[in-house]
Amino acid sequence: MDRTVDARDTFCPGPLMELIRAVKEGEVGEVIAVWSKDAGSQRDIPLWIEKAGHELLAVNEKEEYNEFVIKKLR
Amino acid sequence: MQNVVVLGGGVGGSVVANHLAKKSRRGDCKITVVDEDGKHVYQPGFLYVTLGKQNPAKLMRDERTLLKRRVDMVTSRAERIDAGERTVHLAGGKKLDYDYLVIATGSTLHPEQVPGFEGAHHFYSLEGSIGLRNALMKFNGGDVVIAVGGVPYKCPPAPAESACLLDYYFTKRGIRDKVNLKFLSPLGRVFPLESLDPLVTEVFKQKNVETTIFFNIESIDPKSKKVESLEGETVSYDLLIAIPPHSGADVVIDSGLGDRGGWIPTDRHSLLAKGHGDIYVVGDATDIPISKAGATAHYEGLVVGDNIAARLKGQSPPDNYDGKVTCFCDAGFHKGIMMTFDYENPPVPPPLNRRHYLGKMMINRLYWMLIPKARV
Ligand SMILES: Cc1cc2nc3c(=O)[nH]c(=O)nc-3n(C[C@H](O)[C@H](O)[C@H](O)COP(=O)(O)OP(=O)(O)OC[C@H]3O[C@@H](n4cnc5c(N)ncnc54)[C@H](O)[C@@H]3O)c2cc1C
Protein backbone atom coordinates (compact mmCIF):
# COMPACT_ATOMS: atom_id res chain seq x y z
CA MET A 1 0.00 0.00 0.00
CA ASP A 2 1.48 3.37 -0.98
CA ARG A 3 -1.13 5.48 0.76
CA THR A 4 -4.09 4.98 3.10
CA VAL A 5 -6.85 7.57 3.30
CA ASP A 6 -9.02 7.38 6.42
CA ALA A 7 -12.30 8.96 5.31
CA ARG A 8 -14.48 7.36 7.98
CA ASP A 9 -16.95 9.65 9.76
CA THR A 10 -16.90 12.26 7.05
CA PHE A 11 -20.15 13.23 5.45
CA CYS A 12 -19.19 16.19 3.32
CA PRO A 13 -17.54 16.03 0.84
CA GLY A 14 -17.10 12.34 1.62
CA PRO A 15 -14.80 9.41 0.81
CA LEU A 16 -15.06 9.55 -2.98
CA MET A 17 -13.66 13.08 -3.05
CA GLU A 18 -10.78 11.94 -0.85
CA LEU A 19 -10.14 9.09 -3.26
CA ILE A 20 -10.24 11.37 -6.32
CA ARG A 21 -7.79 13.67 -4.55
CA ALA A 22 -5.40 10.82 -3.71
CA VAL A 23 -5.55 9.41 -7.25
CA LYS A 24 -4.92 12.84 -8.79
CA GLU A 25 -1.94 13.45 -6.52
CA GLY A 26 -0.51 9.94 -6.90
CA GLU A 27 1.89 8.41 -9.43
CA VAL A 28 0.79 5.85 -12.03
CA GLY A 29 1.08 2.37 -10.49
CA GLU A 30 0.49 3.62 -6.96
CA VAL A 31 -1.81 1.55 -4.71
CA ILE A 32 -4.21 3.55 -2.56
CA ALA A 33 -6.55 2.36 0.20
CA VAL A 34 -9.62 4.34 1.24
CA TRP A 35 -11.57 3.60 4.42
CA SER A 36 -15.23 4.48 4.30
CA LYS A 37 -18.30 4.01 6.48
CA ASP A 38 -20.47 5.75 3.89
CA ALA A 39 -23.07 3.35 2.44
CA GLY A 40 -22.96 5.28 -0.85
CA SER A 41 -19.26 4.41 -1.31
CA GLN A 42 -20.18 0.78 -2.10
CA ARG A 43 -21.75 2.03 -5.31
CA ASP A 44 -19.89 5.30 -5.98
CA ILE A 45 -16.28 4.19 -5.58
CA PRO A 46 -16.36 1.16 -7.95
CA LEU A 47 -18.36 3.20 -10.50
CA TRP A 48 -15.90 6.08 -10.44
CA ILE A 49 -12.88 3.78 -10.67
CA GLU A 50 -14.34 2.11 -13.74
CA LYS A 51 -15.29 5.38 -15.40
CA ALA A 52 -11.90 6.98 -14.68
CA GLY A 53 -10.00 3.91 -15.92
CA HIS A 54 -8.29 2.68 -12.77
CA GLU A 55 -8.33 -0.76 -11.11
CA LEU A 56 -10.23 -1.86 -8.02
CA LEU A 57 -7.94 -4.44 -6.45
CA ALA A 58 -10.09 -5.33 -3.44
CA VAL A 59 -12.98 -4.34 -1.22
CA ASN A 60 -12.24 -5.56 2.29
CA GLU A 61 -15.12 -5.60 4.74
CA LYS A 62 -13.86 -4.63 8.18
CA GLU A 63 -15.90 -4.56 11.34
CA GLU A 64 -17.26 -1.04 11.04
CA TYR A 65 -16.09 0.14 7.65
CA ASN A 66 -15.04 -0.93 4.16
CA GLU A 67 -11.54 -0.70 2.75
CA PHE A 68 -11.33 -0.03 -1.00
CA VAL A 69 -7.94 -0.78 -2.54
CA ILE A 70 -7.24 0.96 -5.83
CA LYS A 71 -4.39 0.96 -8.33
CA LYS A 72 -3.83 4.13 -10.35
CA LEU A 73 -3.49 3.05 -13.97
CA ARG A 74 -3.15 6.28 -15.95
CA MET B 1 5.53 35.27 29.24
CA GLN B 2 4.79 32.78 26.48
CA ASN B 3 4.42 33.67 22.82
CA VAL B 4 1.46 32.49 20.79
CA VAL B 5 1.84 33.20 17.08
CA VAL B 6 -1.17 32.82 14.77
CA LEU B 7 -0.42 32.61 11.05
CA GLY B 8 -3.32 33.89 8.94
CA GLY B 9 -5.92 36.50 9.79
CA GLY B 10 -8.93 34.87 8.17
CA VAL B 11 -11.84 33.14 9.91
CA GLY B 12 -9.85 30.54 11.88
CA GLY B 13 -6.91 32.75 12.87
CA SER B 14 -9.16 35.59 14.09
CA VAL B 15 -11.33 33.26 16.17
CA VAL B 16 -8.31 31.62 17.83
CA ALA B 17 -6.64 34.97 18.63
CA ASN B 18 -9.76 36.68 19.99
CA HIS B 19 -11.00 33.64 21.92
CA LEU B 20 -7.59 33.08 23.48
CA ALA B 21 -7.39 36.77 24.42
CA LYS B 22 -10.70 36.31 26.23
CA LYS B 23 -9.67 33.08 27.95
CA SER B 24 -6.19 34.12 29.12
CA ARG B 25 -4.77 36.93 31.23
CA ARG B 26 -2.53 39.59 29.75
CA GLY B 27 0.43 38.32 31.75
CA ASP B 28 -0.03 34.71 30.54
CA CYS B 29 0.86 35.23 26.92
CA LYS B 30 1.55 37.56 24.06
CA ILE B 31 -0.68 36.86 21.07
CA THR B 32 0.50 37.88 17.60
CA VAL B 33 -1.49 37.47 14.39
CA VAL B 34 0.53 37.53 11.16
CA ASP B 35 -1.39 38.20 7.96
CA GLU B 36 -0.01 38.67 4.49
CA ASP B 37 -2.03 41.72 3.47
CA GLY B 38 -3.76 42.63 6.73
CA LYS B 39 -7.17 42.20 5.07
CA HIS B 40 -9.96 39.86 6.19
CA VAL B 41 -12.29 38.74 3.43
CA TYR B 42 -15.84 37.37 3.83
CA GLN B 43 -15.82 34.79 1.05
CA PRO B 44 -19.47 33.59 1.15
CA GLY B 45 -20.32 37.06 -0.20
CA PHE B 46 -18.52 36.30 -3.51
CA LEU B 47 -21.60 34.49 -4.86
CA TYR B 48 -23.68 37.63 -4.41
CA VAL B 49 -21.00 39.77 -6.10
CA THR B 50 -21.41 37.62 -9.22
CA LEU B 51 -25.14 38.39 -9.25
CA GLY B 52 -24.55 42.12 -8.86
CA LYS B 53 -26.23 42.06 -5.43
CA GLN B 54 -23.19 42.74 -3.28
CA ASN B 55 -20.76 45.65 -3.21
CA PRO B 56 -17.31 43.95 -3.32
CA ALA B 57 -15.71 46.64 -1.10
CA LYS B 58 -18.02 45.62 1.75
CA LEU B 59 -16.60 42.09 1.84
CA MET B 60 -13.18 43.24 3.01
CA ARG B 61 -12.10 44.75 6.34
CA ASP B 62 -8.81 45.57 8.00
CA GLU B 63 -7.94 42.61 10.20
CA ARG B 64 -6.64 44.98 12.89
CA THR B 65 -10.16 46.33 13.47
CA LEU B 66 -11.46 42.80 14.12
CA LEU B 67 -8.86 41.87 16.74
CA LYS B 68 -8.97 42.65 20.45
CA ARG B 69 -6.65 45.45 21.45
CA ARG B 70 -4.26 43.20 23.36
CA VAL B 71 -3.63 41.07 20.24
CA ASP B 72 -0.62 42.25 18.21
CA MET B 73 -0.98 42.34 14.46
CA VAL B 74 1.89 42.03 11.99
CA THR B 75 1.19 42.60 8.31
CA SER B 76 3.76 40.48 6.57
CA ARG B 77 4.10 37.27 4.65
CA ALA B 78 5.31 34.28 6.66
CA GLU B 79 7.89 32.56 4.48
CA ARG B 80 9.08 29.61 6.52
CA ILE B 81 8.33 27.86 9.78
CA ASP B 82 11.27 26.29 11.58
CA ALA B 83 9.50 23.82 13.88
CA GLY B 84 12.78 22.70 15.49
CA GLU B 85 13.79 26.25 16.44
CA ARG B 86 10.16 27.30 17.10
CA THR B 87 10.58 30.28 14.83
CA VAL B 88 8.60 31.83 11.98
CA HIS B 89 10.61 33.66 9.32
CA LEU B 90 8.80 36.63 7.79
CA ALA B 91 9.40 38.38 4.47
CA GLY B 92 12.16 40.96 4.85
CA GLY B 93 14.15 38.87 7.31
CA LYS B 94 12.21 39.45 10.54
CA LYS B 95 11.74 36.45 12.85
CA LEU B 96 9.09 35.61 15.42
CA ASP B 97 9.71 33.04 18.17
CA TYR B 98 6.80 31.03 19.49
CA ASP B 99 5.87 28.70 22.30
CA TYR B 100 2.64 27.81 20.52
CA LEU B 101 2.01 28.25 16.82
CA VAL B 102 -1.41 28.22 15.17
CA ILE B 103 -1.47 27.71 11.41
CA ALA B 104 -4.60 29.18 9.82
CA THR B 105 -3.29 30.05 6.38
CA GLY B 106 -6.35 28.76 4.50
CA SER B 107 -6.17 27.49 0.95
CA THR B 108 -4.48 28.87 -2.16
CA LEU B 109 -6.06 28.86 -5.63
CA HIS B 110 -4.19 27.37 -8.59
CA PRO B 111 -6.06 28.07 -11.85
CA GLU B 112 -2.75 27.50 -13.70
CA GLN B 113 -2.93 23.78 -12.86
CA VAL B 114 -5.77 23.29 -15.35
CA PRO B 115 -4.62 23.73 -18.97
CA GLY B 116 -6.81 26.39 -20.59
CA PHE B 117 -8.27 27.77 -17.35
CA GLU B 118 -8.09 31.25 -18.86
CA GLY B 119 -11.18 30.21 -20.80
CA ALA B 120 -13.18 29.92 -17.56
CA HIS B 121 -14.62 32.25 -14.93
CA HIS B 122 -14.85 31.58 -11.22
CA PHE B 123 -16.25 33.02 -8.00
CA TYR B 124 -13.56 31.85 -5.57
CA SER B 125 -11.78 35.22 -5.22
CA LEU B 126 -12.97 38.80 -5.18
CA GLU B 127 -11.38 39.56 -8.57
CA GLY B 128 -12.75 36.33 -10.02
CA SER B 129 -16.26 37.20 -8.82
CA ILE B 130 -16.12 40.70 -10.31
CA GLY B 131 -14.94 39.19 -13.62
CA LEU B 132 -17.80 36.67 -13.58
CA ARG B 133 -20.31 39.39 -12.71
CA ASN B 134 -19.20 41.42 -15.75
CA ALA B 135 -19.36 38.37 -18.01
CA LEU B 136 -22.84 37.47 -16.75
CA MET B 137 -24.10 41.02 -17.34
CA LYS B 138 -23.11 40.72 -21.01
CA PHE B 139 -24.45 37.18 -21.38
CA ASN B 140 -27.70 36.92 -23.28
CA GLY B 141 -28.15 33.21 -23.83
CA GLY B 142 -26.46 29.86 -24.44
CA ASP B 143 -24.88 27.06 -22.39
CA VAL B 144 -23.69 28.03 -18.92
CA VAL B 145 -21.59 25.21 -17.48
CA ILE B 146 -20.57 24.90 -13.81
CA ALA B 147 -17.76 22.44 -13.05
CA VAL B 148 -15.03 21.60 -10.55
CA GLY B 149 -11.34 21.89 -11.49
CA GLY B 150 -9.78 20.14 -8.52
CA VAL B 151 -10.52 18.39 -5.24
CA PRO B 152 -10.60 19.17 -2.38
CA TYR B 153 -12.12 22.65 -2.71
CA LYS B 154 -13.61 24.85 -0.03
CA CYS B 155 -17.33 25.04 0.61
CA PRO B 156 -18.27 21.86 -1.29
CA PRO B 157 -21.94 22.89 -1.75
CA ALA B 158 -21.03 26.27 -3.34
CA PRO B 159 -21.13 25.08 -7.00
CA ALA B 160 -24.67 23.68 -6.53
CA GLU B 161 -25.65 26.89 -4.76
CA SER B 162 -24.39 28.92 -7.71
CA ALA B 163 -26.50 26.83 -10.12
CA CYS B 164 -29.62 27.62 -8.09
CA LEU B 165 -28.75 31.31 -7.86
CA LEU B 166 -28.04 31.57 -11.58
CA ASP B 167 -31.47 30.05 -12.30
CA TYR B 168 -32.93 32.85 -10.17
CA TYR B 169 -30.69 35.51 -11.75
CA PHE B 170 -31.56 34.60 -15.35
CA THR B 171 -35.27 34.30 -14.46
CA LYS B 172 -35.18 37.82 -13.00
CA ARG B 173 -33.50 39.08 -16.16
CA GLY B 174 -36.26 37.46 -18.21
CA ILE B 175 -33.85 35.30 -20.25
CA ARG B 176 -34.03 31.97 -18.39
CA ASP B 177 -35.60 30.30 -21.46
CA LYS B 178 -32.52 31.28 -23.51
CA VAL B 179 -30.04 29.81 -21.01
CA ASN B 180 -29.16 26.15 -20.69
CA LEU B 181 -27.76 25.55 -17.18
CA LYS B 182 -25.45 22.53 -16.99
CA PHE B 183 -24.02 21.28 -13.72
CA LEU B 184 -21.06 18.89 -13.82
CA SER B 185 -20.58 17.22 -10.45
CA PRO B 186 -17.18 15.79 -9.50
CA LEU B 187 -18.89 13.10 -7.40
CA GLY B 188 -21.39 10.32 -8.09
CA ARG B 189 -24.25 12.55 -6.99
CA VAL B 190 -25.14 16.19 -7.54
CA PHE B 191 -24.78 17.27 -3.90
CA PRO B 192 -21.82 16.33 -1.68
CA LEU B 193 -24.03 15.46 1.32
CA GLU B 194 -25.58 12.09 0.55
CA SER B 195 -28.71 12.51 2.67
CA LEU B 196 -29.51 15.78 0.93
CA ASP B 197 -28.83 14.59 -2.57
CA PRO B 198 -32.42 13.47 -3.36
CA LEU B 199 -33.72 16.91 -2.32
CA VAL B 200 -31.15 18.80 -4.41
CA THR B 201 -31.70 16.46 -7.37
CA GLU B 202 -35.42 17.30 -7.20
CA VAL B 203 -34.66 21.03 -6.92
CA PHE B 204 -32.40 20.83 -9.99
CA LYS B 205 -35.14 19.00 -11.90
CA GLN B 206 -37.67 21.71 -11.06
CA LYS B 207 -35.22 24.42 -12.02
CA ASN B 208 -34.30 22.64 -15.22
CA VAL B 209 -30.60 22.32 -14.38
CA GLU B 210 -29.06 19.57 -16.49
CA THR B 211 -26.68 17.38 -14.49
CA THR B 212 -23.73 15.10 -15.25
CA ILE B 213 -22.00 13.11 -12.50
CA PHE B 214 -18.36 12.00 -12.18
CA PHE B 215 -16.99 15.00 -14.05
CA ASN B 216 -13.64 16.31 -12.75
CA ILE B 217 -12.06 18.84 -15.10
CA GLU B 218 -8.86 17.72 -16.81
CA SER B 219 -8.49 20.55 -19.34
CA ILE B 220 -10.30 23.39 -21.03
CA ASP B 221 -10.05 24.39 -24.68
CA PRO B 222 -11.00 28.08 -24.80
CA LYS B 223 -10.88 28.12 -28.64
CA SER B 224 -13.44 25.40 -29.25
CA LYS B 225 -15.17 26.20 -25.92
CA LYS B 226 -15.00 22.66 -24.65
CA VAL B 227 -14.17 21.24 -21.25
CA GLU B 228 -12.81 17.73 -20.82
CA SER B 229 -12.98 15.53 -17.72
CA LEU B 230 -10.36 13.19 -16.31
CA GLU B 231 -13.05 10.53 -16.65
CA GLY B 232 -12.91 11.08 -20.43
CA GLU B 233 -16.04 13.12 -21.26
CA THR B 234 -16.27 16.40 -23.20
CA VAL B 235 -18.89 19.13 -22.73
CA SER B 236 -19.20 22.35 -24.72
CA TYR B 237 -20.04 25.72 -23.20
CA ASP B 238 -20.70 29.35 -24.01
CA LEU B 239 -19.84 30.48 -20.48
CA LEU B 240 -17.82 28.25 -18.17
CA ILE B 241 -17.70 28.65 -14.41
CA ALA B 242 -14.98 26.41 -12.95
CA ILE B 243 -13.75 26.00 -9.39
CA PRO B 244 -9.94 26.41 -9.51
CA PRO B 245 -7.75 23.68 -7.95
CA HIS B 246 -6.76 24.42 -4.34
CA SER B 247 -3.65 23.66 -2.29
CA GLY B 248 -2.39 24.53 1.17
CA ALA B 249 -0.36 27.75 1.58
CA ASP B 250 3.18 28.12 0.21
CA VAL B 251 4.60 28.65 3.69
CA VAL B 252 3.30 25.21 4.71
CA ILE B 253 4.75 23.55 1.62
CA ASP B 254 8.08 25.41 1.86
CA SER B 255 8.44 24.42 5.53
CA GLY B 256 7.91 20.73 4.75
CA LEU B 257 4.80 20.58 6.95
CA GLY B 258 2.24 19.64 4.29
CA ASP B 259 1.23 16.48 2.44
CA ARG B 260 1.28 16.28 -1.36
CA GLY B 261 -1.52 18.83 -1.60
CA GLY B 262 0.08 21.13 0.97
CA TRP B 263 -2.53 20.25 3.65
CA ILE B 264 -1.13 19.69 7.13
CA PRO B 265 -1.59 16.21 8.63
CA THR B 266 -3.68 17.09 11.70
CA ASP B 267 -5.16 15.07 14.55
CA ARG B 268 -8.91 15.29 13.98
CA HIS B 269 -9.72 15.73 17.71
CA SER B 270 -6.83 17.67 19.29
CA LEU B 271 -6.16 19.73 16.10
CA LEU B 272 -2.42 19.41 16.76
CA ALA B 273 -0.23 18.98 13.68
CA LYS B 274 0.76 15.31 13.76
CA GLY B 275 4.20 14.92 15.32
CA HIS B 276 4.19 18.44 16.83
CA GLY B 277 3.02 19.12 20.39
CA ASP B 278 3.12 22.90 19.97
CA ILE B 279 1.62 23.49 16.51
CA TYR B 280 -2.17 23.69 16.11
CA VAL B 281 -3.93 23.82 12.74
CA VAL B 282 -7.38 25.24 12.00
CA GLY B 283 -9.59 25.81 8.96
CA ASP B 284 -8.81 24.96 5.38
CA ALA B 285 -5.14 24.30 6.21
CA THR B 286 -5.79 20.87 7.84
CA ASP B 287 -5.90 17.57 5.97
CA ILE B 288 -9.00 16.44 7.90
CA PRO B 289 -11.43 15.07 5.29
CA ILE B 290 -14.39 17.28 6.25
CA SER B 291 -15.77 20.41 4.59
CA LYS B 292 -13.28 23.18 4.20
CA ALA B 293 -15.63 25.89 5.46
CA GLY B 294 -15.71 29.04 7.54
CA ALA B 295 -17.99 27.23 9.99
CA THR B 296 -15.38 24.49 10.39
CA ALA B 297 -12.61 27.06 10.97
CA HIS B 298 -14.83 28.87 13.49
CA TYR B 299 -15.64 25.81 15.63
CA GLU B 300 -12.06 24.54 15.42
CA GLY B 301 -10.77 27.98 16.42
CA LEU B 302 -12.81 27.96 19.64
CA VAL B 303 -11.41 24.52 20.58
CA VAL B 304 -7.82 25.59 19.91
CA GLY B 305 -8.28 28.86 21.85
CA ASP B 306 -9.58 26.95 24.88
CA ASN B 307 -6.81 24.36 24.71
CA ILE B 308 -3.96 26.84 24.44
CA ALA B 309 -5.44 28.91 27.29
CA ALA B 310 -5.52 25.80 29.51
CA ARG B 311 -2.02 24.72 28.61
CA LEU B 312 -0.67 28.19 29.39
CA LYS B 313 -2.04 27.72 32.90
CA GLY B 314 -0.41 24.30 33.17
CA GLN B 315 -3.76 22.47 32.82
CA SER B 316 -4.52 19.70 30.36
CA PRO B 317 -6.39 20.71 27.21
CA PRO B 318 -10.14 20.50 27.96
CA ASP B 319 -11.63 20.31 24.47
CA ASN B 320 -11.83 17.88 21.61
CA TYR B 321 -13.07 18.94 18.21
CA ASP B 322 -16.07 16.76 17.41
CA GLY B 323 -16.17 17.52 13.68
CA LYS B 324 -19.06 19.96 13.96
CA VAL B 325 -19.97 21.83 10.77
CA THR B 326 -23.05 23.93 10.09
CA CYS B 327 -23.84 25.39 6.74
CA PHE B 328 -26.54 27.39 5.07
CA CYS B 329 -27.18 27.20 1.34
CA ASP B 330 -29.20 29.67 -0.69
CA ALA B 331 -31.40 27.76 -3.14
CA GLY B 332 -32.68 30.87 -4.94
CA PHE B 333 -36.18 32.41 -4.87
CA HIS B 334 -35.73 33.16 -1.15
CA LYS B 335 -35.48 29.56 -0.06
CA GLY B 336 -32.59 27.98 1.82
CA ILE B 337 -31.29 24.80 3.43
CA MET B 338 -29.42 24.46 6.72
CA MET B 339 -27.28 21.44 7.57
CA THR B 340 -25.51 20.47 10.79
CA PHE B 341 -23.39 17.39 11.32
CA ASP B 342 -20.30 16.11 13.09
CA TYR B 343 -17.99 13.07 13.02
CA GLU B 344 -20.63 10.88 14.68
CA ASN B 345 -23.90 12.27 13.39
CA PRO B 346 -24.75 12.55 9.72
CA PRO B 347 -26.91 15.47 8.62
CA VAL B 348 -30.67 14.98 8.77
CA PRO B 349 -32.29 16.01 5.49
CA PRO B 350 -33.78 19.41 6.29
CA PRO B 351 -36.69 21.12 4.56
CA LEU B 352 -36.10 23.78 1.96
CA ASN B 353 -37.66 26.90 3.39
CA ARG B 354 -37.64 30.65 3.82
CA ARG B 355 -36.42 30.45 7.42
CA HIS B 356 -33.08 28.96 6.41
CA TYR B 357 -32.74 31.51 3.62
CA LEU B 358 -33.21 34.23 6.23
CA GLY B 359 -30.65 32.45 8.43
CA LYS B 360 -28.09 32.73 5.65
CA MET B 361 -28.91 36.41 5.07
CA MET B 362 -28.57 37.04 8.80
CA ILE B 363 -25.10 35.49 8.90
CA ASN B 364 -24.09 37.54 5.86
CA ARG B 365 -25.03 40.66 7.83
CA LEU B 366 -23.88 39.74 11.31
CA TYR B 367 -20.66 37.96 10.35
CA TRP B 368 -18.34 40.90 11.12
CA MET B 369 -19.86 41.53 14.51
CA LEU B 370 -20.05 37.93 15.68
CA ILE B 371 -17.66 35.45 14.11
CA PRO B 372 -14.12 36.87 13.75
CA LYS B 373 -14.57 38.50 17.16
CA ALA B 374 -15.40 35.06 18.62
CA ARG B 375 -18.57 36.38 20.26
CA VAL B 376 -20.41 33.16 19.43
C1 LIG C 1 -17.60 31.35 -2.89
C2 LIG C 1 -17.38 30.83 -1.51
C3 LIG C 1 -18.48 30.61 -0.69
C4 LIG C 1 -18.30 30.14 0.59
N1 LIG C 1 -19.41 29.96 1.37
C5 LIG C 1 -19.26 29.50 2.63
C6 LIG C 1 -20.39 29.35 3.48
O1 LIG C 1 -21.52 29.64 3.10
N2 LIG C 1 -20.18 28.88 4.73
C7 LIG C 1 -18.94 28.56 5.19
O2 LIG C 1 -18.82 28.12 6.34
N3 LIG C 1 -17.84 28.70 4.41
C8 LIG C 1 -17.97 29.16 3.15
N4 LIG C 1 -16.85 29.32 2.35
C9 LIG C 1 -15.53 28.81 2.80
C10 LIG C 1 -14.80 29.74 3.75
O3 LIG C 1 -14.73 31.05 3.25
C11 LIG C 1 -13.39 29.20 4.02
O4 LIG C 1 -13.43 27.83 4.23
C12 LIG C 1 -12.79 29.91 5.25
O5 LIG C 1 -12.52 31.25 4.94
C13 LIG C 1 -11.53 29.22 5.74
O6 LIG C 1 -11.01 29.90 6.82
P1 LIG C 1 -9.44 29.90 7.13
O7 LIG C 1 -9.26 30.69 8.37
O8 LIG C 1 -8.94 28.51 7.09
O9 LIG C 1 -8.79 30.63 5.89
P2 LIG C 1 -9.06 32.08 5.28
O10 LIG C 1 -10.29 32.67 5.85
O11 LIG C 1 -8.99 31.93 3.81
O12 LIG C 1 -7.82 32.92 5.81
C14 LIG C 1 -6.48 32.61 5.52
C15 LIG C 1 -5.63 33.83 5.79
O13 LIG C 1 -4.26 33.46 5.81
C16 LIG C 1 -3.49 34.46 5.17
N5 LIG C 1 -2.22 33.85 4.72
C17 LIG C 1 -2.04 32.82 3.85
N6 LIG C 1 -0.73 32.54 3.70
C18 LIG C 1 -0.06 33.42 4.50
C19 LIG C 1 1.31 33.65 4.78
N7 LIG C 1 2.27 32.92 4.20
N8 LIG C 1 1.65 34.62 5.65
C20 LIG C 1 0.69 35.38 6.25
N9 LIG C 1 -0.64 35.21 6.02
C21 LIG C 1 -1.01 34.26 5.16
C22 LIG C 1 -4.38 34.94 4.04
O14 LIG C 1 -4.02 36.24 3.62
C23 LIG C 1 -5.77 34.92 4.71
O15 LIG C 1 -6.08 36.16 5.30
C24 LIG C 1 -17.00 29.84 1.06
C25 LIG C 1 -15.89 30.07 0.25
C26 LIG C 1 -16.07 30.56 -1.03
C27 LIG C 1 -14.88 30.81 -1.89
Side-chain angles (χ1 to χ4, degrees):
Chain A
M1 208 77 65
D2 298 301
R3 182 168 184 182
T4 298
V5 182
D6 183 355
R8 292 172 297 175
D9 301 325
T10 66
F11 304 108
C12 178
L16 178 63
M17 195 178 286
E18 291 305 311
L19 170 66
I20 296 171
R21 171 193 168 199
V23 168
K24 272 191 97 167
E25 287 173 2
E27 307 285 332
V28 173
E30 213 171 282
V31 176
I32 299 155
V34 180
W35 297 352
S36 171
K37 274 184 173 177
D38 188 358
S41 295
Q42 297 266 26
R43 183 183 53 100
D44 272 9
I45 291 184
L47 271 176
W48 183 76
I49 291 169
E50 199 193 329
K51 194 162 183 198
H54 304 293
E55 190 183 351
L56 181 61
L57 298 178
V59 182
N60 302 317
E61 285 187 22
K62 308 273 177 175
E63 212 154 277
E64 285 204 319
Y65 64 97
N66 287 316
E67 179 184 61
F68 297 86
V69 186
I70 292 99
K71 187 168 181 185
K72 175 168 170 149
L73 292 188
R74 54 185 199 97
Chain B
M1 174 102 110
Q2 306 214 50
N3 282 321
V4 179
V5 173
V6 180
L7 293 188
V11 186
S14 308
V15 172
V16 173
N18 284 327
H19 191 60
L20 178 60
K22 214 166 18 178
K23 291 290 178 120
S24 61
R25 284 186 307 248
R26 250 169 218 279
D28 290 343
C29 63
K30 178 170 185 256
I31 308 166
T32 309
V33 171
V34 179
D35 191 82
E36 198 165 6
D37 56 8
K39 300 277 186 252
H40 187 117
V41 184
Y42 181 61
Q43 301 168 31
F46 294 166
L47 266 170
Y48 299 95
V49 170
T50 66
L51 309 176
K53 284 171 87 180
Q54 169 72 54
N55 174 355
K58 294 225 159 123
L59 296 178
M60 203 162 12
R61 295 216 180 161
D62 278 335
E63 174 68 4
R64 177 64 269 174
T65 64
L66 299 169
L67 295 172
K68 284 190 179 292
R69 220 177 297 160
R70 69 167 277 210
V71 176
D72 283 345
M73 163 87 208
V74 175
T75 302
S76 180
R77 181 178 167 81
E79 298 211 307
R80 198 169 54 79
I81 298 157
D82 186 333
E85 294 285 324
R86 296 178 150 195
T87 303
V88 178
H89 296 264
L90 305 181
K94 209 178 153 210
K95 286 196 299 187
L96 287 174
D97 294 330
Y98 64 82
D99 296 285
Y100 293 101
L101 178 67
V102 179
I103 305 180
T105 41
S107 33
T108 305
L109 305 179
H110 290 282
E112 78 289 350
Q113 286 178 2
V114 173
F117 200 95
E118 65 281 5
H121 288 278
H122 72 86
F123 56 89
Y124 266 57
S125 68
L126 206 48
E127 308 77 63
S129 310
I130 295 169
L132 175 55
R133 178 195 67 193
N134 296 342
L136 283 169
M137 280 191 319
K138 286 190 237 141
F139 191 77
N140 290 317
D143 289 341
V144 175
V145 173
I146 301 164
V148 172
V151 293
Y153 61 93
K154 55 188 153 187
C155 198
E161 209 176 357
S162 84
C164 292
L165 290 175
L166 285 174
D167 166 67
Y168 180 62
Y169 169 85
F170 289 124
T171 305
K172 288 275 148 188
R173 279 187 50 197
I175 56 165
R176 181 65 184 90
D177 57 337
K178 298 196 179 73
V179 177
N180 199 9
L181 273 177
K182 293 186 184 177
F183 182 78
L184 313 179
S185 169
L187 302 175
R189 48 184 180 246
V190 296
F191 202 67
L193 280 150
E194 192 179 8
S195 59
L196 266 83
D197 183 57
L199 174 71
V200 179
T201 302
E202 188 50 41
V203 168
F204 274 15
K205 213 187 269 169
Q206 282 166 14
K207 294 183 186 298
N208 205 8
V209 177
E210 220 178 275
T211 58
T212 301
I213 54 167
F214 293 136
F215 194 106
N216 288 274
I217 299 178
E218 172 110 310
S219 63
I220 299 164
D221 183 353
K223 274 210 189 109
S224 63
K225 296 202 160 187
K226 287 198 165 72
V227 53
E228 201 174 315
S229 75
L230 61 88
E231 293 84 4
E233 268 181 89
T234 304
V235 170
S236 53
Y237 65 84
D238 293 301
L239 188 127
L240 175 63
I241 302 172
I243 311 304
H246 290 34
S247 80
D250 288 349
V251 60
V252 169
I253 298 165
D254 296 343
S255 309
L257 290 170
D259 63 13
R260 279 183 267 194
W263 313 109
I264 305 169
T266 306
D267 182 273
R268 62 167 77 191
H269 294 297
S270 71
L271 302 174
L272 280 164
K274 286 183 181 163
H276 300 273
D278 51 7
I279 302 181
Y280 286 93
V281 193
V282 295
D284 291 359
T286 79
D287 76 335
I288 306 174
I290 54 175
S291 300
K292 294 193 183 299
T296 312
H298 171 209
Y299 295 129
E300 289 175 342
L302 296 174
V303 169
V304 168
D306 279 339
N307 287 355
I308 297 178
R311 289 179 70 185
L312 288 167
K313 292 181 196 133
Q315 299 162 356
S316 53
D319 282 358
N320 257 335
Y321 177 57
D322 61 2
K324 185 175 174 193
V325 183
T326 302
C327 39
F328 285 92
C329 287
D330 185 342
F333 292 93
H334 304 115
K335 294 241 169 81
I337 313 178
M338 187 190 82
M339 297 146 279
T340 300
F341 46 99
D342 58 37
Y343 292 142
E344 300 291 329
N345 302 293
V348 180
L352 186 71
N353 60 26
R354 190 172 163 80
R355 192 156 64 91
H356 292 156
Y357 165 77
L358 293 173
K360 174 137 190 158
M361 293 305 113
M362 203 171 73
I363 295 181
N364 286 348
R365 274 172 179 257
L366 297 182
Y367 174 80
W368 298 109
M369 222 166 72
L370 296 179
I371 306 216
K373 294 184 176 171
R375 287 197 171 127
V376 285

